[in-house]
Amino acid sequence: MHGLVNKGLERFLADTYGQATWAEIAAAAGLPPDGFEALLTYDLALTTNVLGVASSRLGKSEHALLEDLGTYLVSDPKMDSVRRLLRFGGIDFADFVSSLDELPERARLAVPNLNIPEVLVQELGPDEYRIKVVSDFGHFGVILAGILRAMADDYGCLSLIEWSSDAPAHETIHVQLLDGTYAEGKAFVLSAEAAP
Amino acid sequence: MTEATPTLRLTLQTLDAVMPMHMVIGVDGVIRHVGPTLRKVLVGGDLVGTSFWEGFEVVRPSIKPDARGLDGYVNTRMRLQYRHDAGLGLRASLYPLGEDQGFLMTVSFGISVVAAVAEHELTGADFSRNDPTVEMLYLAEANAAAMREARRLIGRLQIARDTAEDASLTDPLTGLRNRRGLESEAAERLRSGQLFTLLLLDLDYFKSVNDVHGHAAGDAVLIEVAERLKNCVRPADVIARIGGDEFVLLVNPPLRNAQTLALAQRIIGAIEAPVVFEGAACRVSASAGFVVSNGYEAPLLEEMLRDADAALYDAKMQGRGRAMVGTPAGTGAQAPVQN
């Protein structure tokens, strides 16, 4: 698993549950004291390990942790660069959702060895989408569901997002847009310098 | 037989959507229409109805076409300077609209697009749907983020490397150079041809301090000896601990033998002052042997150490607490130069 994803998980756990708790989790999962390095690649087992340790230490299911991770990546002010890069994906939430199949290509453009699983987007009707994800990690769709919830908020769009899985590592996210102008979205100007 | 090119009728509204950075300019040089994004960027008043030449200077081509009007610029890559904003340079191309309708000028930011987008707070809606500019901005931003992360990583690695290098050249007990540290310092001096005196010191009675007072006392003596050595030489001189109780000094430029003997006596005197450890006075002395690098045709640290060690052995044989000058041995060796 790419270090960026692992570093995201580390920052999420450290920020949400405290540096001391993260240090305990990291030590118990067999991580070096400096934690993950964003530019290196790690064995998938290490990520799974951290997740398992965090889940039992915090008394939260892995599913819940991963979805919170997705939300954190978009909505935490410290992660604004991730939010901004995602916002380049569409001018409104519908545009963003329908271009999710470009996500792996976008990720590779930013970080050439960052392999995001293929995402399949089907339009079921106006304002209704089905997103299918198949990943080695097996839970990528859960993170994506968290990202989608936070991005809907970011665009100011009221929507219904449901995650399900019919087979191991096969995940489906059902997205229904209820009101595209539900709230004032967060501002997005193209330039990072001009951004408030 | 060739078919006539079909005439295309475009509304300005469509043109605005397809090409938000354009101008329509009449044959008289008067601006008739400005696309929405260009309008946003060209601050300082509505340009419609004013002369193109009033608002813009053509920077390139610098050789102006003969014709005074815009005709001469058709099919040329142009660079424009907007007169009301010194910071705004634009690229432009000019196309005739035919039938005396004047010209269509397409405009872009060129390479300064990132700065221009920041300056004018442009959004995705300011570019046409298929314009890859937005992807380019995404790439620039992603690249900046990746570079930031890379710089952080390099910074951390640099610190780790410096720490490791420092640790590998330093004796952790005394903070002096260790054997590798000495080798690296000597190699540097030998490579650059700097001459130096090498003084080898071996503590006397150190074993009995360890035996009588314990290893902690022995360590305290070594630490104290290191401090006293530092006080006897200049900061630029190298002090190393290369064995349990063996110390080496590199002094450059080299001293005369008489000076070295005096230095050695001063050091031995300093070392002989008792070290108090947990109430007990621990006493050690030292013997020394030294050589000077200009006594060798092609000096090597190993040879110099061996010859200094032979002198040290003689010093010990003659009773402890003494210093002796060594004789370069081996092939090609000469007697030490007596200054």
Side-chain angles (χ1 to χ4, degrees), chain B residues 77-111:
Chain B
R77 280 163 66 97
M78 297 166 79
R79 265 166 61 188
L80 307 181
Q81 176 60 54
Y82 184 48
R83 295 189 196 270
H84 303 294
D85 177 359
L88 188 61
L90 297 163
R91 292 195 186 165
S93 303
L94 196 68
Y95 305 92
L97 287 173
E99 291 170 17
D100 294 333
Q101 288 193 79
F103 308 92
L104 173 68
M105 181 178 272
T106 63
V107 182
S108 82
F109 294 116
I111 200 69

PDB file of all heavy atoms in Angstrom, chain B residues 77-111:
ATOM      1  N   ARG B  77       2.256  34.575 -34.546  1.00  0.00           N
ATOM      2  CA  ARG B  77       2.146  34.431 -33.089  1.00  0.00           C
ATOM      3  C   ARG B  77       2.447  35.785 -32.484  1.00  0.00           C
ATOM      4  O   ARG B  77       3.511  36.354 -32.721  1.00  0.00           O
ATOM      5  CB  ARG B  77       3.173  33.415 -32.569  1.00  0.00           C
ATOM      6  CG  ARG B  77       2.749  31.981 -32.758  1.00  0.00           C
ATOM      7  CD  ARG B  77       3.949  31.088 -32.611  1.00  0.00           C
ATOM      8  NE  ARG B  77       4.473  31.112 -31.252  1.00  0.00           N
ATOM      9  CZ  ARG B  77       4.164  30.199 -30.344  1.00  0.00           C
ATOM     10  NH1 ARG B  77       3.357  29.212 -30.640  1.00  0.00           N
ATOM     11  NH2 ARG B  77       4.671  30.261 -29.135  1.00  0.00           N
ATOM     12  N   MET B  78       1.505  36.290 -31.704  1.00  0.00           N
ATOM     13  CA  MET B  78       1.699  37.636 -31.160  1.00  0.00           C
ATOM     14  C   MET B  78       1.859  37.577 -29.653  1.00  0.00           C
ATOM     15  O   MET B  78       1.286  36.722 -28.995  1.00  0.00           O
ATOM     16  CB  MET B  78       0.471  38.514 -31.463  1.00  0.00           C
ATOM     17  CG  MET B  78       0.224  38.733 -32.931  1.00  0.00           C
ATOM     18  SD  MET B  78      -1.435  39.407 -33.192  1.00  0.00           S
ATOM     19  CE  MET B  78      -1.165  41.119 -32.777  1.00  0.00           C
ATOM     20  N   ARG B  79       2.644  38.507 -29.148  1.00  0.00           N
ATOM     21  CA  ARG B  79       2.656  38.719 -27.704  1.00  0.00           C
ATOM     22  C   ARG B  79       2.215  40.138 -27.438  1.00  0.00           C
ATOM     23  O   ARG B  79       2.724  41.084 -28.018  1.00  0.00           O
ATOM     24  CB  ARG B  79       4.030  38.426 -27.117  1.00  0.00           C
ATOM     25  CG  ARG B  79       4.071  36.990 -26.608  1.00  0.00           C
ATOM     26  CD  ARG B  79       5.437  36.516 -26.335  1.00  0.00           C
ATOM     27  NE  ARG B  79       6.093  37.319 -25.311  1.00  0.00           N
ATOM     28  CZ  ARG B  79       7.376  37.169 -25.011  1.00  0.00           C
ATOM     29  NH1 ARG B  79       8.103  36.282 -25.643  1.00  0.00           N
ATOM     30  NH2 ARG B  79       7.928  37.899 -24.077  1.00  0.00           N
ATOM     31  N   LEU B  80       1.222  40.246 -26.549  1.00  0.00           N
ATOM     32  CA  LEU B  80       0.635  41.550 -26.270  1.00  0.00           C
ATOM     33  C   LEU B  80       0.985  42.003 -24.864  1.00  0.00           C
ATOM     34  O   LEU B  80       1.160  41.189 -23.964  1.00  0.00           O
ATOM     35  CB  LEU B  80      -0.901  41.475 -26.356  1.00  0.00           C
ATOM     36  CG  LEU B  80      -1.534  40.907 -27.622  1.00  0.00           C
ATOM     37  CD1 LEU B  80      -3.055  40.962 -27.487  1.00  0.00           C
ATOM     38  CD2 LEU B  80      -1.071  41.686 -28.848  1.00  0.00           C
ATOM     39  N   GLN B  81       1.060  43.305 -24.700  1.00  0.00           N
ATOM     40  CA  GLN B  81       1.173  43.876 -23.361  1.00  0.00           C
ATOM     41  C   GLN B  81      -0.048  44.760 -23.153  1.00  0.00           C
ATOM     42  O   GLN B  81      -0.331  45.643 -23.961  1.00  0.00           O
ATOM     43  CB  GLN B  81       2.471  44.689 -23.254  1.00  0.00           C
ATOM     44  CG  GLN B  81       2.648  45.418 -21.935  1.00  0.00           C
ATOM     45  CD  GLN B  81       2.676  44.458 -20.758  1.00  0.00           C
ATOM     46  OE1 GLN B  81       3.459  43.513 -20.726  1.00  0.00           O
ATOM     47  NE2 GLN B  81       1.783  44.660 -19.791  1.00  0.00           N
ATOM     48  N   TYR B  82      -0.786  44.466 -22.095  1.00  0.00           N
ATOM     49  CA  TYR B  82      -1.963  45.268 -21.780  1.00  0.00           C
ATOM     50  C   TYR B  82      -1.495  46.563 -21.121  1.00  0.00           C
ATOM     51  O   TYR B  82      -0.752  46.533 -20.140  1.00  0.00           O
ATOM     52  CB  TYR B  82      -2.872  44.469 -20.832  1.00  0.00           C
ATOM     53  CG  TYR B  82      -4.171  45.161 -20.498  1.00  0.00           C
ATOM     54  CD1 TYR B  82      -4.964  45.728 -21.494  1.00  0.00           C
ATOM     55  CD2 TYR B  82      -4.619  45.227 -19.186  1.00  0.00           C
ATOM     56  CE1 TYR B  82      -6.162  46.359 -21.185  1.00  0.00           C
ATOM     57  CE2 TYR B  82      -5.819  45.846 -18.864  1.00  0.00           C
ATOM     58  CZ  TYR B  82      -6.582  46.415 -19.866  1.00  0.00           C
ATOM     59  OH  TYR B  82      -7.764  47.030 -19.560  1.00  0.00           O
ATOM     60  N   ARG B  83      -1.897  47.699 -21.685  1.00  0.00           N
ATOM     61  CA  ARG B  83      -1.322  48.967 -21.230  1.00  0.00           C
ATOM     62  C   ARG B  83      -1.757  49.368 -19.826  1.00  0.00           C
ATOM     63  O   ARG B  83      -1.078  50.127 -19.153  1.00  0.00           O
ATOM     64  CB  ARG B  83      -1.684  50.091 -22.207  1.00  0.00           C
ATOM     65  CG  ARG B  83      -1.056  49.896 -23.594  1.00  0.00           C
ATOM     66  CD  ARG B  83      -1.254  51.140 -24.430  1.00  0.00           C
ATOM     67  NE  ARG B  83      -1.021  50.878 -25.850  1.00  0.00           N
ATOM     68  CZ  ARG B  83       0.165  50.991 -26.449  1.00  0.00           C
ATOM     69  NH1 ARG B  83       1.211  51.341 -25.745  1.00  0.00           N
ATOM     70  NH2 ARG B  83       0.289  50.740 -27.737  1.00  0.00           N
ATOM     71  N   HIS B  84      -2.909  48.867 -19.360  1.00  0.00           N
ATOM     72  CA  HIS B  84      -3.395  49.274 -18.036  1.00  0.00           C
ATOM     73  C   HIS B  84      -2.891  48.371 -16.917  1.00  0.00           C
ATOM     74  O   HIS B  84      -3.256  48.554 -15.765  1.00  0.00           O
ATOM     75  CB  HIS B  84      -4.932  49.290 -18.009  1.00  0.00           C
ATOM     76  CG  HIS B  84      -5.517  50.177 -19.058  1.00  0.00           C
ATOM     77  ND1 HIS B  84      -5.349  51.541 -19.023  1.00  0.00           N
ATOM     78  CD2 HIS B  84      -6.220  49.902 -20.178  1.00  0.00           C
ATOM     79  CE1 HIS B  84      -5.949  52.073 -20.080  1.00  0.00           C
ATOM     80  NE2 HIS B  84      -6.478  51.098 -20.808  1.00  0.00           N
ATOM     81  N   ASP B  85      -2.117  47.320 -17.234  1.00  0.00           N
ATOM     82  CA  ASP B  85      -1.649  46.389 -16.208  1.00  0.00           C
ATOM     83  C   ASP B  85      -0.298  45.840 -16.680  1.00  0.00           C
ATOM     84  O   ASP B  85      -0.238  44.918 -17.488  1.00  0.00           O
ATOM     85  CB  ASP B  85      -2.685  45.252 -16.025  1.00  0.00           C
ATOM     86  CG  ASP B  85      -2.220  44.207 -15.015  1.00  0.00           C
ATOM     87  OD1 ASP B  85      -1.101  44.342 -14.467  1.00  0.00           O
ATOM     88  OD2 ASP B  85      -2.988  43.265 -14.771  1.00  0.00           O
ATOM     89  N   ALA B  86       0.764  46.435 -16.126  1.00  0.00           N
ATOM     90  CA  ALA B  86       2.116  46.104 -16.587  1.00  0.00           C
ATOM     91  C   ALA B  86       2.420  44.621 -16.403  1.00  0.00           C
ATOM     92  O   ALA B  86       3.252  44.057 -17.100  1.00  0.00           O
ATOM     93  CB  ALA B  86       3.134  46.947 -15.820  1.00  0.00           C
ATOM     94  N   GLY B  87       1.730  43.974 -15.455  1.00  0.00           N
ATOM     95  CA  GLY B  87       2.015  42.577 -15.181  1.00  0.00           C
ATOM     96  C   GLY B  87       1.336  41.613 -16.128  1.00  0.00           C
ATOM     97  O   GLY B  87       1.557  40.401 -16.051  1.00  0.00           O
ATOM     98  N   LEU B  88       0.469  42.120 -16.987  1.00  0.00           N
ATOM     99  CA  LEU B  88      -0.330  41.210 -17.803  1.00  0.00           C
ATOM    100  C   LEU B  88       0.181  41.130 -19.235  1.00  0.00           C
ATOM    101  O   LEU B  88      -0.069  42.006 -20.055  1.00  0.00           O
ATOM    102  CB  LEU B  88      -1.800  41.644 -17.777  1.00  0.00           C
ATOM    103  CG  LEU B  88      -2.781  40.674 -18.433  1.00  0.00           C
ATOM    104  CD1 LEU B  88      -2.759  39.328 -17.732  1.00  0.00           C
ATOM    105  CD2 LEU B  88      -4.186  41.244 -18.429  1.00  0.00           C
ATOM    106  N   GLY B  89       0.909  40.045 -19.502  1.00  0.00           N
ATOM    107  CA  GLY B  89       1.338  39.759 -20.859  1.00  0.00           C
ATOM    108  C   GLY B  89       0.470  38.639 -21.403  1.00  0.00           C
ATOM    109  O   GLY B  89       0.102  37.733 -20.672  1.00  0.00           O
ATOM    110  N   LEU B  90       0.112  38.719 -22.646  1.00  0.00           N
ATOM    111  CA  LEU B  90      -0.798  37.729 -23.221  1.00  0.00           C
ATOM    112  C   LEU B  90      -0.245  37.212 -24.536  1.00  0.00           C
ATOM    113  O   LEU B  90       0.525  37.899 -25.210  1.00  0.00           O
ATOM    114  CB  LEU B  90      -2.175  38.362 -23.461  1.00  0.00           C
ATOM    115  CG  LEU B  90      -2.929  38.849 -22.231  1.00  0.00           C
ATOM    116  CD1 LEU B  90      -4.040  39.793 -22.635  1.00  0.00           C
ATOM    117  CD2 LEU B  90      -3.472  37.677 -21.429  1.00  0.00           C
ATOM    118  N   ARG B  91      -0.652  35.995 -24.881  1.00  0.00           N
ATOM    119  CA  ARG B  91      -0.359  35.485 -26.218  1.00  0.00           C
ATOM    120  C   ARG B  91      -1.617  35.613 -27.041  1.00  0.00           C
ATOM    121  O   ARG B  91      -2.722  35.444 -26.516  1.00  0.00           O
ATOM    122  CB  ARG B  91       0.028  34.022 -26.145  1.00  0.00           C
ATOM    123  CG  ARG B  91       1.356  33.855 -25.458  1.00  0.00           C
ATOM    124  CD  ARG B  91       1.894  32.502 -25.715  1.00  0.00           C
ATOM    125  NE  ARG B  91       3.107  32.319 -24.937  1.00  0.00           N
ATOM    126  CZ  ARG B  91       3.664  31.150 -24.729  1.00  0.00           C
ATOM    127  NH1 ARG B  91       3.095  30.050 -25.214  1.00  0.00           N
ATOM    128  NH2 ARG B  91       4.760  31.066 -24.031  1.00  0.00           N
ATOM    129  N   ALA B  92      -1.451  35.871 -28.309  1.00  0.00           N
ATOM    130  CA  ALA B  92      -2.641  36.064 -29.132  1.00  0.00           C
ATOM    131  C   ALA B  92      -2.396  35.607 -30.566  1.00  0.00           C
ATOM    132  O   ALA B  92      -1.260  35.546 -31.029  1.00  0.00           O
ATOM    133  CB  ALA B  92      -3.038  37.537 -29.113  1.00  0.00           C
ATOM    134  N   SER B  93      -3.505  35.247 -31.227  1.00  0.00           N
ATOM    135  CA  SER B  93      -3.465  34.963 -32.663  1.00  0.00           C
ATOM    136  C   SER B  93      -4.658  35.665 -33.298  1.00  0.00           C
ATOM    137  O   SER B  93      -5.697  35.814 -32.667  1.00  0.00           O
ATOM    138  CB  SER B  93      -3.592  33.464 -32.924  1.00  0.00           C
ATOM    139  OG  SER B  93      -2.590  32.770 -32.253  1.00  0.00           O
ATOM    140  N   LEU B  94      -4.467  36.053 -34.532  1.00  0.00           N
ATOM    141  CA  LEU B  94      -5.491  36.846 -35.210  1.00  0.00           C
ATOM    142  C   LEU B  94      -6.009  36.106 -36.439  1.00  0.00           C
ATOM    143  O   LEU B  94      -5.220  35.567 -37.216  1.00  0.00           O
ATOM    144  CB  LEU B  94      -4.852  38.180 -35.638  1.00  0.00           C
ATOM    145  CG  LEU B  94      -5.792  39.312 -36.014  1.00  0.00           C
ATOM    146  CD1 LEU B  94      -6.548  39.797 -34.788  1.00  0.00           C
ATOM    147  CD2 LEU B  94      -4.983  40.459 -36.616  1.00  0.00           C
ATOM    148  N   TYR B  95      -7.327  36.058 -36.599  1.00  0.00           N
ATOM    149  CA  TYR B  95      -7.929  35.379 -37.743  1.00  0.00           C
ATOM    150  C   TYR B  95      -8.917  36.329 -38.417  1.00  0.00           C
ATOM    151  O   TYR B  95      -9.717  36.966 -37.737  1.00  0.00           O
ATOM    152  CB  TYR B  95      -8.654  34.111 -37.301  1.00  0.00           C
ATOM    153  CG  TYR B  95      -7.745  33.176 -36.527  1.00  0.00           C
ATOM    154  CD1 TYR B  95      -7.680  33.260 -35.138  1.00  0.00           C
ATOM    155  CD2 TYR B  95      -6.951  32.254 -37.191  1.00  0.00           C
ATOM    156  CE1 TYR B  95      -6.834  32.435 -34.420  1.00  0.00           C
ATOM    157  CE2 TYR B  95      -6.100  31.425 -36.486  1.00  0.00           C
ATOM    158  CZ  TYR B  95      -6.039  31.507 -35.096  1.00  0.00           C
ATOM    159  OH  TYR B  95      -5.193  30.696 -34.398  1.00  0.00           O
ATOM    160  N   PRO B  96      -8.882  36.412 -39.766  1.00  0.00           N
ATOM    161  CA  PRO B  96      -9.840  37.300 -40.444  1.00  0.00           C
ATOM    162  C   PRO B  96     -11.233  36.690 -40.422  1.00  0.00           C
ATOM    163  O   PRO B  96     -11.384  35.475 -40.545  1.00  0.00           O
ATOM    164  CB  PRO B  96      -9.283  37.372 -41.871  1.00  0.00           C
ATOM    165  CG  PRO B  96      -8.459  36.135 -42.045  1.00  0.00           C
ATOM    166  CD  PRO B  96      -7.977  35.731 -40.686  1.00  0.00           C
ATOM    167  N   LEU B  97     -12.259  37.501 -40.226  1.00  0.00           N
ATOM    168  CA  LEU B  97     -13.637  36.993 -40.213  1.00  0.00           C
ATOM    169  C   LEU B  97     -14.269  37.071 -41.598  1.00  0.00           C
ATOM    170  O   LEU B  97     -15.325  36.510 -41.835  1.00  0.00           O
ATOM    171  CB  LEU B  97     -14.476  37.788 -39.202  1.00  0.00           C
ATOM    172  CG  LEU B  97     -14.169  37.475 -37.729  1.00  0.00           C
ATOM    173  CD1 LEU B  97     -14.920  38.435 -36.824  1.00  0.00           C
ATOM    174  CD2 LEU B  97     -14.516  36.045 -37.384  1.00  0.00           C
ATOM    175  N   GLY B  98     -13.644  37.788 -42.518  1.00  0.00           N
ATOM    176  CA  GLY B  98     -14.153  37.862 -43.883  1.00  0.00           C
ATOM    177  C   GLY B  98     -15.266  38.878 -44.041  1.00  0.00           C
ATOM    178  O   GLY B  98     -15.867  39.338 -43.055  1.00  0.00           O
ATOM    179  N   GLU B  99     -15.494  39.201 -45.298  1.00  0.00           N
ATOM    180  CA  GLU B  99     -16.576  40.127 -45.667  1.00  0.00           C
ATOM    181  C   GLU B  99     -16.560  41.407 -44.838  1.00  0.00           C
ATOM    182  O   GLU B  99     -17.590  41.850 -44.321  1.00  0.00           O
ATOM    183  CB  GLU B  99     -17.950  39.453 -45.528  1.00  0.00           C
ATOM    184  CG  GLU B  99     -18.161  38.361 -46.560  1.00  0.00           C
ATOM    185  CD  GLU B  99     -19.413  37.543 -46.268  1.00  0.00           C
ATOM    186  OE1 GLU B  99     -20.256  38.036 -45.479  1.00  0.00           O
ATOM    187  OE2 GLU B  99     -19.518  36.442 -46.804  1.00  0.00           O
ATOM    188  N   ASP B 100     -15.334  41.940 -44.639  1.00  0.00           N
ATOM    189  CA  ASP B 100     -15.185  43.208 -43.917  1.00  0.00           C
ATOM    190  C   ASP B 100     -15.748  43.185 -42.508  1.00  0.00           C
ATOM    191  O   ASP B 100     -16.139  44.209 -41.955  1.00  0.00           O
ATOM    192  CB  ASP B 100     -15.855  44.359 -44.703  1.00  0.00           C
ATOM    193  CG  ASP B 100     -15.118  44.612 -46.005  1.00  0.00           C
ATOM    194  OD1 ASP B 100     -13.888  44.310 -46.038  1.00  0.00           O
ATOM    195  OD2 ASP B 100     -15.744  45.067 -46.962  1.00  0.00           O
ATOM    196  N   GLN B 101     -15.797  41.964 -41.924  1.00  0.00           N
ATOM    197  CA  GLN B 101     -16.303  41.895 -40.545  1.00  0.00           C
ATOM    198  C   GLN B 101     -15.192  42.094 -39.533  1.00  0.00           C
ATOM    199  O   GLN B 101     -15.430  42.070 -38.344  1.00  0.00           O
ATOM    200  CB  GLN B 101     -16.952  40.540 -40.301  1.00  0.00           C
ATOM    201  CG  GLN B 101     -18.273  40.366 -41.013  1.00  0.00           C
ATOM    202  CD  GLN B 101     -18.984  39.156 -40.469  1.00  0.00           C
ATOM    203  OE1 GLN B 101     -19.579  39.214 -39.410  1.00  0.00           O
ATOM    204  NE2 GLN B 101     -18.899  38.068 -41.196  1.00  0.00           N
ATOM    205  N   GLY B 102     -13.975  42.226 -40.039  1.00  0.00           N
ATOM    206  CA  GLY B 102     -12.868  42.440 -39.115  1.00  0.00           C
ATOM    207  C   GLY B 102     -12.174  41.156 -38.721  1.00  0.00           C
ATOM    208  O   GLY B 102     -12.033  40.246 -39.537  1.00  0.00           O
ATOM    209  N   PHE B 103     -11.759  41.054 -37.452  1.00  0.00           N
ATOM    210  CA  PHE B 103     -10.912  39.947 -37.017  1.00  0.00           C
ATOM    211  C   PHE B 103     -11.413  39.310 -35.727  1.00  0.00           C
ATOM    212  O   PHE B 103     -12.031  39.964 -34.899  1.00  0.00           O
ATOM    213  CB  PHE B 103      -9.485  40.447 -36.766  1.00  0.00           C
ATOM    214  CG  PHE B 103      -8.914  41.221 -37.905  1.00  0.00           C
ATOM    215  CD1 PHE B 103      -9.047  42.612 -37.955  1.00  0.00           C
ATOM    216  CD2 PHE B 103      -8.244  40.568 -38.939  1.00  0.00           C
ATOM    217  CE1 PHE B 103      -8.525  43.334 -39.005  1.00  0.00           C
ATOM    218  CE2 PHE B 103      -7.704  41.293 -39.994  1.00  0.00           C
ATOM    219  CZ  PHE B 103      -7.848  42.678 -40.032  1.00  0.00           C
ATOM    220  N   LEU B 104     -11.056  38.027 -35.609  1.00  0.00           N
ATOM    221  CA  LEU B 104     -11.246  37.338 -34.341  1.00  0.00           C
ATOM    222  C   LEU B 104      -9.857  37.161 -33.737  1.00  0.00           C
ATOM    223  O   LEU B 104      -8.962  36.625 -34.400  1.00  0.00           O
ATOM    224  CB  LEU B 104     -11.891  35.966 -34.565  1.00  0.00           C
ATOM    225  CG  LEU B 104     -11.992  35.065 -33.339  1.00  0.00           C
ATOM    226  CD1 LEU B 104     -12.986  35.628 -32.325  1.00  0.00           C
ATOM    227  CD2 LEU B 104     -12.403  33.647 -33.734  1.00  0.00           C
ATOM    228  N   MET B 105      -9.684  37.642 -32.524  1.00  0.00           N
ATOM    229  CA  MET B 105      -8.392  37.457 -31.862  1.00  0.00           C
ATOM    230  C   MET B 105      -8.567  36.491 -30.692  1.00  0.00           C
ATOM    231  O   MET B 105      -9.383  36.730 -29.812  1.00  0.00           O
ATOM    232  CB  MET B 105      -7.838  38.794 -31.353  1.00  0.00           C
ATOM    233  CG  MET B 105      -6.470  38.648 -30.681  1.00  0.00           C
ATOM    234  SD  MET B 105      -5.815  40.236 -30.131  1.00  0.00           S
ATOM    235  CE  MET B 105      -4.966  40.764 -31.603  1.00  0.00           C
ATOM    236  N   THR B 106      -7.819  35.360 -30.733  1.00  0.00           N
ATOM    237  CA  THR B 106      -7.867  34.434 -29.600  1.00  0.00           C
ATOM    238  C   THR B 106      -6.684  34.755 -28.694  1.00  0.00           C
ATOM    239  O   THR B 106      -5.589  35.052 -29.162  1.00  0.00           O
ATOM    240  CB  THR B 106      -7.774  32.973 -30.058  1.00  0.00           C
ATOM    241  OG1 THR B 106      -6.520  32.779 -30.684  1.00  0.00           O
ATOM    242  CG2 THR B 106      -8.887  32.649 -31.030  1.00  0.00           C
ATOM    243  N   VAL B 107      -6.931  34.678 -27.404  1.00  0.00           N
ATOM    244  CA  VAL B 107      -5.930  35.121 -26.424  1.00  0.00           C
ATOM    245  C   VAL B 107      -5.710  34.017 -25.388  1.00  0.00           C
ATOM    246  O   VAL B 107      -6.647  33.290 -25.051  1.00  0.00           O
ATOM    247  CB  VAL B 107      -6.417  36.411 -25.723  1.00  0.00           C
ATOM    248  CG1 VAL B 107      -5.386  36.916 -24.731  1.00  0.00           C
ATOM    249  CG2 VAL B 107      -6.744  37.485 -26.753  1.00  0.00           C
ATOM    250  N   SER B 108      -4.480  33.872 -24.932  1.00  0.00           N
ATOM    251  CA  SER B 108      -4.228  32.937 -23.827  1.00  0.00           C
ATOM    252  C   SER B 108      -3.156  33.499 -22.903  1.00  0.00           C
ATOM    253  O   SER B 108      -2.470  34.457 -23.242  1.00  0.00           O
ATOM    254  CB  SER B 108      -3.795  31.571 -24.361  1.00  0.00           C
ATOM    255  OG  SER B 108      -2.418  31.592 -24.656  1.00  0.00           O
ATOM    256  N   PHE B 109      -3.024  32.893 -21.726  1.00  0.00           N
ATOM    257  CA  PHE B 109      -2.028  33.355 -20.753  1.00  0.00           C
ATOM    258  C   PHE B 109      -0.644  32.803 -21.051  1.00  0.00           C
ATOM    259  O   PHE B 109       0.343  33.252 -20.495  1.00  0.00           O
ATOM    260  CB  PHE B 109      -2.413  32.902 -19.340  1.00  0.00           C
ATOM    261  CG  PHE B 109      -3.664  33.538 -18.831  1.00  0.00           C
ATOM    262  CD1 PHE B 109      -4.780  32.773 -18.565  1.00  0.00           C
ATOM    263  CD2 PHE B 109      -3.717  34.904 -18.606  1.00  0.00           C
ATOM    264  CE1 PHE B 109      -5.931  33.354 -18.085  1.00  0.00           C
ATOM    265  CE2 PHE B 109      -4.871  35.492 -18.116  1.00  0.00           C
ATOM    266  CZ  PHE B 109      -5.988  34.711 -17.860  1.00  0.00           C
ATOM    267  N   GLY B 110      -0.586  31.744 -21.882  1.00  0.00           N
ATOM    268  CA  GLY B 110       0.711  31.105 -22.098  1.00  0.00           C
ATOM    269  C   GLY B 110       1.218  30.503 -20.799  1.00  0.00           C
ATOM    270  O   GLY B 110       0.444  30.051 -19.972  1.00  0.00           O
ATOM    271  N   ILE B 111       2.517  30.578 -20.608  1.00  0.00           N
ATOM    272  CA  ILE B 111       3.143  29.895 -19.484  1.00  0.00           C
ATOM    273  C   ILE B 111       2.824  30.573 -18.154  1.00  0.00           C
ATOM    274  O   ILE B 111       2.946  29.964 -17.095  1.00  0.00           O
ATOM    275  CB  ILE B 111       4.670  29.776 -19.714  1.00  0.00           C
ATOM    276  CG1 ILE B 111       5.258  28.670 -18.847  1.00  0.00           C
ATOM    277  CG2 ILE B 111       5.389  31.076 -19.499  1.00  0.00           C
ATOM    278  CD1 ILE B 111       4.822  27.283 -19.268  1.00  0.00           C
TER     279      ILE B 111
END
